[in-house]
Amino acid sequence: MKQVTARGNVPQAPEQAAYRTSFAARLRRDKWLYLLLLPGLLYFLVFKYVPMWGVLLAFKNYQPFTGFWKSEWVGLEHFRLFFDNPEFFMLLRNTLLLSFYNLVFFFPAPILLALLLNEVRLAFFKRTIQTMIYVPHFISMVIVASLTYVFLTTEGGTVNELLYQYTGNKIQFLSDPAWFRPMIIVQTIWKECGWGTIIFLAALAAVDVEQYEAARIDGANRWRQIWHVTLPAIRSTIVILLILRMGSVLDNGFEQIYLMLNPLNRSVGEVFDTYVYAMGITQGAFSYSTAVGLFKSVVGVTLVLGTNWLAKKFGESGLY
């Protein structure tokens, strides 16, 4: 039914009338929905936006006794010191290599696991496997590091005891720099791979079964169906998660790296996260560590925007 405006008998579409509804009226009508939205808004306001004022520390020579506002403004001095630091390229190399290995080995792992689980037809067996692979996500990284130590240490570690029994040699997994990155990647895959399948399994559940039936009629086997039906159906989900993943290229996770780090593998294990902790907490260089953290954030945002632009160039929807 068409509406009439106050200026005359000009018909107005219903959606236009709804759009012109005042905010107060919409607030009264949808008050419970806005109330449900309030905790999320407060979370981002308190923990995400308000702390952003802290990035001003990167441009000040912060002294706790003089306070935040009275500390001397030094501009880009801390950034210059960071880029001139001989350890900068070591930190950049270690961080990028770990992120590259995560993209190559960890990122596809939940996709492959979700595809395998999607092929399981026995519901009880499928639910059991899903429960088993979800459990490591809820285990603290401290426990994971402890388990790694128990298995890999040369002083009675299970793996090294087996190696010694069969080969007569032991491997310094925990101190040899060559084993640090593979150890971190294996930990990440074991802990987070199962949890990462949730999104992909949800995307696979939305695939039209008629496409599989049409593929079978055309003579496609299971591998062909996965390649030509399943993967194209979840491609947009993969692209979006890849874009989001690019935002954390310089963020390898502090806790895991810190727990596995020692003086013998520091040359390959020290990353920006552990460096910020060492400079900011243990040495009290608050402004300098804030500058390093801000550098990470700027690079992350740039990579997200750049990857989103490339995704759109290749015909994907992207994030926005």
Side-chain angles (χ1 to χ4, degrees):
M1 186 176 182
K2 295 183 178 180
Q3 299 182 3
V4 179
T5 63
R7 295 183 179 180
N9 296 328
V10 180
Q12 188 178 36
E15 58 272 13
Q16 292 178 337
Y19 180 79
R20 290 169 179 264
T21 304
S22 66
F23 175 74
R26 294 199 303 271
L27 186 61
R28 288 192 300 270
R29 183 188 61 194
D30 302 324
K31 57 181 178 298
W32 299 115
L33 292 177
Y34 285 107
L35 186 62
L36 290 174
L37 184 65
L38 186 61
L41 290 177
L42 289 176
Y43 167 78
F44 280 97
L45 179 65
V46 174
F47 294 102
K48 301 296 182 180
Y49 288 98
V50 172
M52 287 180 68
W53 286 102
V55 301
L56 291 176
L57 283 178
F59 306 97
K60 288 173 169 284
N61 185 20
Y62 175 70
Q63 300 295 331
F65 295 103
T66 58
F68 180 83
W69 297 110
K70 294 183 179 180
S71 296
E72 180 187 3
W73 183 272
V74 295
L76 300 177
E77 179 66 19
H78 296 298
F79 294 94
R80 185 187 64 80
L81 292 174
F82 175 55
F83 295 140
D84 291 341
N85 193 324
E87 293 187 331
F88 171 75
F89 289 103
M90 180 198 73
L91 296 170
L92 185 63
R93 181 187 69 247
N94 294 341
T95 304
L96 290 180
L97 280 176
L98 276 175
S99 297
F100 174 75
Y101 292 148
N102 272 317
L103 284 175
V104 172
F105 297 105
F106 170 67
F107 183 77
I111 303 173
L112 297 175
L113 186 56
L115 292 175
L116 292 174
L117 288 173
N118 191 55
E119 297 299 316
V120 177
R121 294 293 175 259
L122 188 60
F124 174 78
F125 181 72
K126 183 177 181 178
R127 288 196 299 268
T128 303
I129 296 298
Q130 285 180 276
T131 302
M132 293 175 62
I133 63 178
Y134 292 164
V135 169
H137 172 76
F138 300 98
I139 298 177
S140 169
M141 186 54 68
V142 176
I143 304 300
V144 176
S146 300
L147 290 174
T148 303
Y149 178 83
V150 169
F151 279 106
L152 300 182
T153 181
T154 56
E155 303 297 329
T158 306
V159 175
N160 267 314
E161 288 300 320
L162 291 174
L163 287 174
Y164 184 77
Q165 181 178 352
Y166 288 103
T167 66
N169 297 315
K170 293 184 178 182
I171 299 177
Q172 301 285 343
F173 292 104
L174 300 176
S175 58
D176 189 351
W179 285 100
F180 181 82
R181 294 182 184 121
M183 185 170 54
I184 294 297
I185 300 303
V186 170
Q187 283 181 344
T188 304
I189 292 176
W190 179 79
K191 189 176 186 298
E192 302 296 342
C193 181
W195 187 256
T197 61
I198 294 178
I199 296 177
F200 295 108
L201 286 173
L204 290 171
V207 180
D208 190 0
V209 295
E210 294 182 356
Q211 297 185 25
Y212 291 110
E213 296 175 358
R216 283 195 295 268
I217 294 173
D218 291 337
N221 56 24
R222 294 304 303 174
W223 292 108
R224 289 291 182 181
Q225 292 176 39
I226 292 174
W227 184 259
H228 294 287
V229 178
T230 306
L231 287 177
I234 64 174
R235 183 176 59 190
S236 60
T237 303
I238 296 174
V239 170
I240 290 176
L241 291 179
L242 178 62
I243 294 173
L244 295 175
R245 182 71 184 177
M246 293 302 295
S248 59
V249 163
L250 297 186
D251 186 6
N252 298 114
F254 164 76
E255 187 177 7
Q256 181 185 16
I257 305 297
Y258 181 75
L259 291 171
M260 302 308 302
L261 203 61
N262 58 62
L264 296 176
N265 59 25
R266 182 182 179 275
S267 60
V268 298
E270 187 82 88
V271 294
F272 287 122
D273 297 302
T274 55
Y275 183 71
V276 167
Y277 171 80
M279 298 302 297
I281 303 299
T282 63
Q283 298 187 27
F286 300 111
S287 295
Y288 181 79
S289 59
T290 304
V292 179
L294 183 58
F295 166 74
K296 283 178 46 187
S297 301
V298 171
V299 172
V301 171
T302 304
L303 288 174
V304 167
L305 296 177
T307 309
N308 187 76
W309 178 80
L310 285 176
K312 286 189 172 184
K313 284 294 182 179
F314 283 98
E316 298 296 332
S317 57
L319 292 177
Y320 57 88

